[in-house]
Amino acid sequence: MASHPPSDGWIGASLKRKEDARFLYGHGKYIADVRMPGVQDVAFVRSQVANGRLRSVTKPEGGSANVFTLADLQPLTVLEAGPELPQHKLSPYPPLADERVRYVGQGIAACLAPTRAIAEDLADRVTVDIEQLPAVVDCVAAMQPGSPRVFDHWADNAYITSNVVEGSPQVLTSAPVRVRRQFRMNRQATVSLECRGVLAYWDHRTNELVVYLSTQGGHVKRIGLSRILGLPENQVRVIAPDVGGGFGGKNRLMPEDVAVAAIAMKVGHPVRWIEDRREHLIASVHARDHTYDLTLSADKDGTLLGVEGDIYIDAGAYALWPTGAFQEASMASRNLTGPYRIRHLNLKTYTVATNKAPMGPYRGVARPGACFAIERLVDEMARELGREPFDLRRQNIVTAAELPYDTAAGMRLDTGDYVEALDTARDMVDLAAIRKRQAEGEPDGRAIGVGFAFYTEQSGHGTAEFAKRKFRVIPGYESANARMLPDGSVIIHVGVQNHGQGHETSLAQIAAHELTIHPDRISIRYGDTATSPMGFGSFASRSIVFAGGAVAHSCRALVEKIRKIGAHLLQTDVANTRLQGGAVHGPSGKVDLAEIAFVANARQEQLPTGMAPLLEAVGTYEPTVSGGVFAYGTHAVVVAVDPDSGVVELLDYAVAEDCGTMINPLIVDGQVQGGIAQGIGTALYEEIPFDELGQPLATTFGDYMVPCAPEIPDVRLAHLVSPAHATEYGVKGLGEGGAIAPPAAIANAVADAFRDIGARFNETPLTPRRVSEAIDRARREKGAA
Amino acid sequence: MKITLTLNGSKVTHDVEPRETLADFVRDRCGLTATHLGCEHGACGACTVVLDGEVTRACLMLAVMCDGRTVETLEGFRNHPAMEVIRKHFHECHGLQCGFCTPGMLLMARDILARKPGCDADTVRYELSGQICRCTGYSGIVKSIVSAGQELAGKAPAKA
């Protein structure tokens, strides 16, 4: 971890987290900890086949009143989901199956009982008759003319296809050097340690449906629940208690959320469903699952020219409301030029329906796949040219002098020094020393490899960007409601959702900076649509940019009024005052915030004539540039690989990253390290394979490998700090970046270890089997040649 | 069937189903929700408790197997001197983010440091191999436990 200089102010201070104490004493309150008298638990009957006609559901004798099928949840309005584009095919997703099931794990019936165990007993007694149909399990084969269909009335299995053509890609066919490769980043789960959960009941006093939900953003879920249940939004209250991780997996309206809410409206008591790990792996949000067939073209001198080819996104059986998985294809294609001066693109994207659980966002969204593809291609091109991959990267990367730089696909890379990030990471792992070590060989017979990957992380993108993507709900701003109480302490309600990111601390630091008081005097509140202003939640590395900005603006509105009151009390003009150290200072004295706050709230006769009482302000915020600001970094990895077993050990992991101004460097380091651990999971361990019938083959932590402490190295971190121009304080979002580059950097390192035989490592996760087979194949091919 | 066990120093008696896990017992019968359920098949360690002095996965233990025995959950360590030191270092070293794995991590940390006082980072990593944290990437947790171990063993904190 990096060491950080002390800070005089709150911006940039490595303040210990305000939220830690309750978790350290076991006082965190997650969804399963919410105690509600009379609550009953739901167990779902789920489809055991991937594709089939649901002929009948037979409720057990004596239990039928507690078994709910889709017909029992009516009236419901199933919402259209995915981008608002006419060519996007609709995939109506009812909360329980209608006449068709489309993936293993899809809910068919909900069984209600005093405990989950009894509910599962009841579920066991429900008889389901399904006529099994051929399953669509491979997203490339799914686009062949003879493929079975996920939706019978669709012309083919693509939700949507697109062509991304930029520059003059026709020149590429005659390029001097062309390297074509196929890449796969396999399907995985998001695996928050706390699974999903929902608890709902009708509150007769307030005459509203109360929905406790483990979610990354309650307001957007309220919009969806209101529409699907036919309730006005003032009768739907969504409360997110402590949320035990999300990573994207808790950012869509899920069928269980709707089913539980609908049942709660039918019965006279609270209803809850707590997802178990098997359900999470089978039927929660799935992610990644990209397939690339790409050709990178270059001049003989190594100048990278363009990328052509196909991108397949296996989006699963349905689009999740509101947005589905449809940013995957556009983000994968638009990020495929990486940080390089690549001006020609000719890409065809296919977002394909298959008989698998619906795809949703997961930390990094599409960019881990795009980064894996382009950064592997750069290394392969370097080998083709006989060049050091690091040098080819450095030759083609956008320089600081070229920033801001408009990429071929229309993204404006804003501030930074990409070359410095490359060089810093190179020096941290000491590339020259590794090349020397490789030449000497390892006494244990393992092969050493070094790999680099560079990523950019678009964050803080606003209204125009999401409107362009045809989102149904545009997360283009955030809001904050700042309220100073009579004693001068402050409560700020925000629309984002803290689920580990430390918002209670970092947002309090921003407010402390603006109000010149200690963060301990400031409470950050969130997670209840009844009290927090409209906002979109925490995802897409957006919270520090948007919510940080909204907190700043709401506090500045308070400060303006505070100074006026202070000037009045000091009998001076407001122009003669300044706010400092928690007091308004004038030419001949000062008045403390606590006194001003008391006057504003409870001694209003002392206010300036005509001034309204209270110190309360709602601020909204969107950065001045809608296309986003770009954090970036270089990951450098050194691996040792056993050629026989295929086991990869990470010997060193260094990162040089730049997320602009850091509000709290301690939290930044934690986000980077944590993101990298998830990226290492994608690179080496995590996968949900499917058999030809569409059965998921990783359904427990016995066969779905989540990395533990021995698998994750201490990442060495260097921070470059290039403030953004378009955001408050120059911040850039950084929550996802750590997860983007590890698959590319690690695969490049493994390939480097076996560069002498040209073994190819183009599919994640790089399991021991995949690695040893790739080595074996390369050795045989080399032997045959 | 009726069972009686000593939970965080107090005798508790409840009528339980034979299939009920110890985790469900402490959470649902006794209202102690620091014991978290992350997988319910013994792989993640979020439900770690102390049973007759040994760290144990509460999801793999039936409540009826604990009749007459002594169980401690994180709630039972509220004023425990060593746990207070461990908590302090988790706070200082950013050893938690979402907090869901934290109770299990704390109980495992105390157990590691009791068995291997003042142990180094590699030892801590190895000993943590049955605990999943999805947020931190483990670095802060390992650092927390190592530095807590040094304080508990009376050594000076490690440099950097």
Side-chain angles (χ1 to χ4, degrees):
Chain A
M1 292 281 197
S3 61
H4 301 288
S7 168
D8 294 335
W10 296 116
I11 302 291
S14 285
L15 189 67
K16 310 288 184 288
R17 299 199 324 166
K18 285 157 64 77
E19 48 265 80
D20 282 354
R22 67 178 183 275
F23 301 121
L24 289 167
Y25 284 90
H27 294 154
K29 185 179 270 193
Y30 303 90
I31 184 101
D33 304 334
V34 175
R35 304 285 123 170
M36 203 60 71
V39 70
Q40 295 207 9
D41 275 299
V42 164
F44 285 98
V45 177
R46 295 181 181 275
S47 178
Q48 298 186 10
V49 305
N51 191 12
R53 283 193 191 87
L54 181 57
R55 288 202 192 105
S56 66
V57 179
T58 308
K59 299 178 183 180
E61 219 168 293
S64 63
N66 291 324
V67 177
F68 297 80
T69 62
L70 182 63
D72 302 314
L73 304 184
Q74 299 299 338
L76 295 171
T77 306
V78 174
L79 303 179
E80 291 185 2
E84 285 180 327
L85 288 165
Q87 64 270 35
H88 169 252
K89 298 181 195 120
L90 294 174
S91 54
Y93 190 18
L96 293 170
D98 46 21
E99 76 282 3
R100 185 79 175 255
V101 289
R102 290 191 175 85
Y103 67 93
V104 172
Q106 183 171 358
I108 294 172
C111 301
L112 191 60
T115 69
R116 172 66 176 253
I118 300 170
E120 289 185 11
D121 291 344
L122 184 58
D124 282 345
R125 293 166 56 214
V126 175
T127 308
V128 175
D129 182 15
I130 299 176
E131 176 195 349
Q132 191 164 356
L133 300 169
V136 179
V137 291
D138 181 293
C139 67
V140 178
M143 291 309 296
Q144 296 302 310
S147 170
R149 297 282 151 72
V150 177
F151 290 89
D152 294 336
H153 62 284
W154 287 14
D156 59 38
N157 279 317
Y159 287 98
I160 193 166
T161 61
S162 73
N163 293 299
V164 178
V165 180
E166 304 290 349
S168 309
Q170 64 276 9
V171 305
L172 298 175
T173 48
S174 57
V177 192
R178 287 165 63 76
V179 172
R180 181 179 176 182
R181 295 286 185 273
Q182 286 82 39
F183 302 100
R184 264 197 66 71
M185 180 165 281
N186 279 301
R187 180 167 279 243
Q188 64 168 102
T190 60
V191 195
S192 50
L193 192 56
E194 182 212 30
C195 291
R196 292 185 296 124
V198 53
L199 183 158
Y201 62 95
W202 192 267
D203 186 318
H204 294 281
R205 184 180 65 80
T206 53
N207 198 31
E208 67 184 353
L209 179 72
V210 178
V211 182
Y212 282 82
L213 190 61
S214 187
T215 180
Q216 294 174 228
H219 282 284
V220 174
K221 307 307 175 295
R222 175 165 73 172
I223 294 172
L225 285 168
S226 155
R227 290 182 184 176
I228 197 164
L229 298 170
L231 283 171
E233 288 195 42
N234 67 348
Q235 287 187 298
V236 183
R237 177 182 179 188
V238 177
I239 299 171
D242 282 324
V243 174
F247 314 117
K250 295 175 179 174
N251 202 35
R252 293 286 183 270
L253 188 64
M254 298 294 278
E256 297 90 348
D257 310 344
V258 178
V260 166
I263 293 168
M265 291 175 64
K266 311 269 177 200
V267 300
H269 55 78
V271 178
R272 119 186 138 150
W273 168 74
I274 303 298
E275 183 181 62
D276 68 25
R277 187 55 64 185
R278 181 173 173 276
E279 290 179 296
H280 179 87
L281 291 171
I282 293 172
S284 232
V285 163
H286 282 183
R288 308 295 187 238
D289 217 343
H290 290 197
T291 301
Y292 299 83
D293 182 347
L294 300 174
T295 301
L296 176 64
S297 296
D299 273 334
K300 283 205 179 77
D301 70 354
T303 303
L304 301 178
L305 300 173
V307 187
E308 304 151 277
D310 296 327
I311 302 173
Y312 289 84
I313 311 293
D314 183 335
Y318 297 98
L320 297 171
W321 190 87
T323 313
F326 304 97
Q327 51 193 342
E328 294 276 335
S330 69
M331 287 173 70
S333 53
R334 292 177 71 202
N335 281 283
L336 210 47
T337 55
Y340 303 113
R341 287 181 227 94
I342 295 175
R343 298 314 308 176
H344 308 296
L345 281 179
N346 188 4
L347 304 166
K348 175 119 185 164
T349 76
Y350 305 84
T351 301
V352 183
T354 60
N355 291 115
K356 300 177 187 171
M359 176 187 270
Y362 175 50
R363 199 174 197 167
V365 185
R367 288 158 295 186
C371 181
F372 181 63
I374 187 63
E375 291 292 73
R376 283 295 300 116
L377 274 171
V378 168
D379 269 38
E380 296 286 308
M381 176 61 78
R383 303 260 142 70
E384 190 74 21
L385 293 166
R387 298 272 304 275
E388 169 70 63
F390 180 88
D391 296 340
L392 189 67
R393 208 164 252 114
R394 201 175 186 285
Q395 175 187 338
N396 283 279
I397 203 162
V398 171
T399 64
E402 291 169 289
L403 292 175
Y405 180 85
D406 293 316
T407 69
M411 296 194 296
R412 174 161 288 193
L413 305 174
D414 57 335
T415 60
D417 189 335
Y418 297 178
V419 174
E420 190 187 348
L422 275 180
D423 290 352
T424 303
R426 174 199 61 198
D427 296 345
M428 286 168 83
V429 294
D430 198 345
L431 179 59
I434 293 161
R435 291 290 177 232
K436 186 159 170 282
R437 179 175 172 179
Q438 285 175 321
E440 288 162 0
E442 296 297 304
D444 62 4
R446 293 195 297 176
I448 301 291
V450 58
F452 294 87
F454 190 99
Y455 72 92
T456 61
E457 177 185 9
Q458 185 184 24
S459 71
H461 30 311
T463 301
E465 175 77 7
F466 286 106
K468 189 164 69 185
R469 296 183 193 179
K470 301 295 178 189
F471 270 40
R472 287 175 189 274
V473 172
I474 305 279
Y477 70 91
E478 270 302 324
S479 60
N481 179 354
R483 180 185 299 159
M484 187 168 279
L485 304 182
D487 67 351
S489 62
V490 176
I491 292 179
I492 301 177
H493 292 276
V494 293
V496 292
Q497 176 70 37
N498 185 18
H499 41 285
Q501 298 91 337
H503 296 157
E504 290 171 45
T505 307
S506 54
L507 295 180
Q509 287 177 251
I510 287 174
H513 172 79
E514 295 294 336
L515 298 169
T516 73
I517 59 177
H518 195 281
D520 285 351
R521 298 279 286 164
I522 298 159
S523 300
I524 302 294
R525 300 274 166 81
Y526 52 88
D528 187 345
T529 57
T531 53
S532 61
M534 175 66 199
F536 298 88
S538 292
F539 55 92
S541 306
R542 66 190 297 278
S543 293
I544 203 66
V545 174
F546 281 100
V551 166
H553 282 237
S554 61
C555 288
R556 283 173 202 162
L558 289 192
V559 167
E560 194 181 323
K561 190 165 177 180
I562 284 166
R563 283 183 59 201
K564 282 182 189 158
I565 300 170
H568 180 70
L569 295 176
L570 292 167
Q571 298 188 328
T572 185
D573 190 89
V574 71
N576 299 328
T577 65
R578 67 184 197 285
L579 183 65
Q580 186 185 338
V584 173
H585 296 255
S588 58
K590 62 169 187 169
V591 54
D592 286 343
L593 272 182
E595 188 181 339
I596 293 171
F598 195 74
V599 165
N601 283 285
R603 291 301 301 267
Q604 60 278 13
E605 89 281 5
Q606 296 179 38
L607 287 172
T609 309
M611 179 183 277
L614 296 185
L615 282 171
E616 180 158 355
V618 177
T620 64
Y621 178 72
E622 177 178 0
T624 53
V625 170
S626 201
V629 292
F630 288 77
Y632 63 89
T634 302
H635 289 205
V637 188
V638 183
V639 300
V641 187
D642 184 314
D644 298 321
S645 70
V647 170
V648 176
E649 185 189 352
L650 304 179
L651 299 180
D652 192 12
Y653 204 116
V655 173
E657 75 87 43
D658 186 345
C659 63
T661 303
M662 292 184 278
I663 301 298
N664 184 322
L666 182 77
I667 289 175
V668 168
D669 286 359
Q671 289 291 314
V672 174
Q673 170 82 37
I676 287 170
Q678 293 187 346
I680 290 171
T682 300
L684 294 176
Y685 302 106
E686 296 180 45
E687 179 180 10
I688 302 180
F690 285 74
D691 72 7
E692 69 279 7
L693 297 174
Q695 289 291 335
L697 302 178
T699 60
T700 71
F701 283 160
D703 32 35
Y704 187 93
M705 299 292 133
V706 181
C708 286
E711 286 79 54
I712 303 297
D714 249 332
V715 173
R716 296 189 294 129
L717 260 174
H719 295 293
L720 288 59
V721 179
S722 308
H725 300 314
T727 63
E728 291 293 343
Y729 316 111
V731 296
K732 298 177 176 184
L734 76 324
E736 299 172 280
I740 295 174
I746 291 168
N748 278 344
V750 175
D752 182 68
F754 297 96
R755 65 195 185 287
D756 55 329
I757 57 170
R760 292 184 179 178
F761 303 94
N762 296 337
E763 181 174 1
T764 66
L766 291 170
T767 57
R769 168 175 290 209
R770 283 201 181 100
V771 171
S772 58
E773 284 180 357
I775 296 164
D776 196 42
R777 194 180 312 119
R779 280 176 175 166
R780 277 188 278 110
E781 283 169 8
K782 200 173 163 72
Chain B
M1 56 188 290
K2 191 167 275 190
I3 62 167
T4 298
L5 50 84
T6 305
L7 179 60
N8 298 334
S10 302
K11 289 254 189 268
V12 295
T13 301
H14 283 286
D15 223 357
V16 301
E17 282 193 74
R19 64 178 173 178
E20 192 169 318
T21 67
L22 175 61
D24 287 344
F25 178 86
V26 300
R27 288 179 54 80
D28 298 337
R29 302 270 177 202
C30 306
L32 299 178
T33 56
T35 303
H36 295 158
L37 292 169
C39 72
E40 295 173 89
H41 51 266
C44 81
C47 68
T48 299
V49 298
V50 182
L51 175 63
D52 290 338
E54 298 271 327
V55 282
T56 302
R57 270 116 214 270
C59 74
L60 293 183
M61 188 65 63
L62 293 171
V64 292
M65 297 161 73
C66 303
D67 190 21
R69 301 171 75 177
T70 298
V71 175
E72 295 160 284
T73 67
L74 184 66
E75 288 94 338
F77 289 84
R78 185 165 179 77
N79 299 308
H80 187 279
M83 193 62 92
E84 287 290 275
V85 172
I86 294 167
R87 281 193 184 98
K88 182 183 77 177
H89 288 273
F90 267 71
H91 180 55
E92 288 176 354
C93 302
H94 196 16
L96 64 155
Q97 289 183 21
C98 84
F100 197 78
C101 75
T102 306
M105 288 288 180
L106 292 172
L107 288 171
M108 187 55 75
R110 178 192 159 268
D111 183 67
I112 293 168
L113 296 178
R115 286 184 287 111
K116 307 194 169 183
C119 60
D120 64 12
D122 285 346
T123 306
V124 169
R125 274 185 191 280
Y126 176 80
E127 292 285 335
L128 281 179
S129 59
Q131 308 289 121
I132 293 176
C133 167
R134 191 61 164 169
C135 295
T136 63
Y138 303 101
S139 182
I141 294 172
V142 172
K143 203 188 287 183
S144 304
I145 298 173
V146 170
S147 60
Q150 284 166 343
E151 180 171 338
L152 290 168
K155 295 182 194 169
K159 283 176 206 157

